[in-house]
Amino acid sequence: MSTLSPGSTIGILGGGQLGRMLAISAAQLGYRCHIFAPEEDSVAAEVAAEFTCASFDSINEVSNFATQCEVITYEFENIPVAPLKRIADKILLRPGTRVLEVAQSRLEEKRFVGEYGGKTAKFADVPVEIALGEALMAVGLPAILKTNRMGYDGKGQVRVTHDNDLAGIWRRAGGDQLIAESVVEFDAEFSVILVRGADGEIRYWESTRNVHEDGILARSSLPAGPLIESQQAEARRLSAQIADALGYVGVFTCEFFATASGPVFNEMAPRVHNSGHWTIEGSVTSQFENHIRAICGLPLGDTGLTSERMEMDNIIGDKGAGAAKMLTAGDAHLHLYGKGEARDGRKMGHLTRLYR
Ligand code: AMP
């Protein structure tokens, strides 16, 4: 397997905090990063060698970017696949385009996971308003309606308890192609974060207990508790099967609900994940470093814990302003992403505390 030499350029599609933390790890390993993002104020570009600000849809810009990189990866899954397919035979793209096609559609990913024996919430396709009544009957009430594409952090989600105003529900849910899901009665949430090398080797990080507020991750913590610990092995097996089937290279995340009857798959993210930010200090090799190692063909690093007890809290909205005060707590590590404007629900940084 060939290894990318130090000084080579890694292209990163997407310019947010995940790209920023990937670029920091890449720099440590002697690589240069070139960020490609549509927004000018990219927090990843601030720590990278090169920046192309252009639309993901522009085949010319994407092709030109590809000629300047030795490998390309992404930190964001909602990238148009067509321009990437045009460059896929000329450049190493890791992970590839197949996982993007699957992960960009909630319907497609649930069907895909079902083929490998994964349990999901009951779900039904709602391509048009007229299909809504039947879909809600199929999954039962209460239900959750989600936009099939471009949804993240609980955006584009509506809880439905009554089906007496279907037109109003359709409007509230965004009036686009939807998926209806049954509400899963879960006891806890967790994710499997794994890294798969170019030679197929897989390593896992410990699954944390993830707590969401308003659909956004608020806290990841360890120990995750007996329920999650008892369901981790089954969730790992499924996640690894999916990664193998996709010929995946890099860090891959699957989110699960821990229920009384076992793990229920919620969604996948073909990238480093917010519930793995703790790995920067809480594990021997972080998710960011191992992603860079995997896509560059380097040996994978140890994913073992540096501390059995830790918490990672997201800093959301204007809480970032007083964040430095949080450093008074024991072994606390503050990461601020350098975002200018603190909007409601915007991830400004995170704080990891280790208890040794
Ligand atoms: P998602 O964007 O699908 O990750 O959803 C964000 C959060 O909403 C999840 O982490 C859960 O806390 C909650 N959620 C999403 N789908 C369901 C479901 N079918 N049943 C119960 N809770 C859900």
Side-chain angles (χ1 to χ4, degrees), residues 38 54 64 66 74 76 87 107 119 144 154 180 185 194-195 215 217 220 260 263 296 339 354:
N64 186 34
Y74 40 85
F76 171 66
I87 57 161
L107 280 165
K119 255 197 281 175
I144 299 187
E185 295 297 327
L194 63 81
V195 58
L217 183 72
S220 293
C296 295
K339 294 182 182 177
L354 305 181

Side-chain angles (χ1 to χ4, degrees), residues 9 27 29 84 159-160 175 214 223-224 257 269 351:
T9 300
L29 288 165
L84 298 185
R159 273 201 183 226
V160 183
D214 302 326
F257 301 119
L351 183 90

Side-chain angles (χ1 to χ4, degrees), residues 106 121 144 146 153-154 157 159 181-184 186 189 212 215 255 257 266-267:
R106 292 185 185 272
I144 299 187
K146 300 180 180 177
D153 282 350
Q157 294 192 14
R159 273 201 183 226
E181 289 182 20
S182 60
V183 170
V184 177
F186 59 81
E189 294 188 77
H212 293 80
E255 292 181 47
F257 301 119
N266 178 30
E267 64 176 353

Side-chain angles (χ1 to χ4, degrees), residues 199-246:
D199 58 357
E201 182 193 356
I202 290 181
R203 296 187 182 195
Y204 307 88
W205 284 271
E206 196 63 25
S207 289
T208 54
R209 171 180 291 258
N210 298 333
V211 176
H212 293 80
E213 284 167 13
D214 302 326
I216 304 179
L217 183 72
R219 167 172 287 193
S220 293
S221 61
L222 282 176
L227 186 72
I228 291 171
E229 284 162 13
S230 69
Q231 300 193 359
Q232 180 174 268
E234 184 180 338
R236 282 183 174 179
R237 268 195 302 279
L238 177 67
S239 308
Q241 263 183 300
I242 296 167
D244 284 338
L246 293 165

Side-chain angles (χ1 to χ4, degrees), residues 51-128:
F51 179 36
T52 297
C53 181
S55 161
F56 291 128
D57 285 308
S58 165
I59 291 177
N60 281 346
E61 294 282 5
V62 172
S63 304
N64 186 34
F65 165 70
T67 60
Q68 300 171 60
C69 305
E70 271 78 36
V71 62
I72 292 180
T73 189
Y74 40 85
E75 57 108 56
F76 171 66
E77 60 272 35
N78 291 319
I79 302 169
V81 175
L84 298 185
K85 282 196 158 163
R86 295 275 288 268
I87 57 161
D89 55 345
K90 299 182 202 83
I91 175 105
L92 261 184
L93 179 68
R94 287 176 165 167
T97 51
R98 177 68 188 125
V99 69
L100 282 180
E101 288 171 331
V102 174
Q104 283 179 0
S105 155
R106 292 185 185 272
L107 280 165
E108 178 84 9
E109 72 182 349
K110 282 194 171 55
R111 287 182 186 133
F112 190 85
V113 165
E115 282 169 27
Y116 292 90
K119 255 197 281 175
T120 63
K122 270 196 223 159
F123 66 96
D125 188 9
V126 194
V128 287

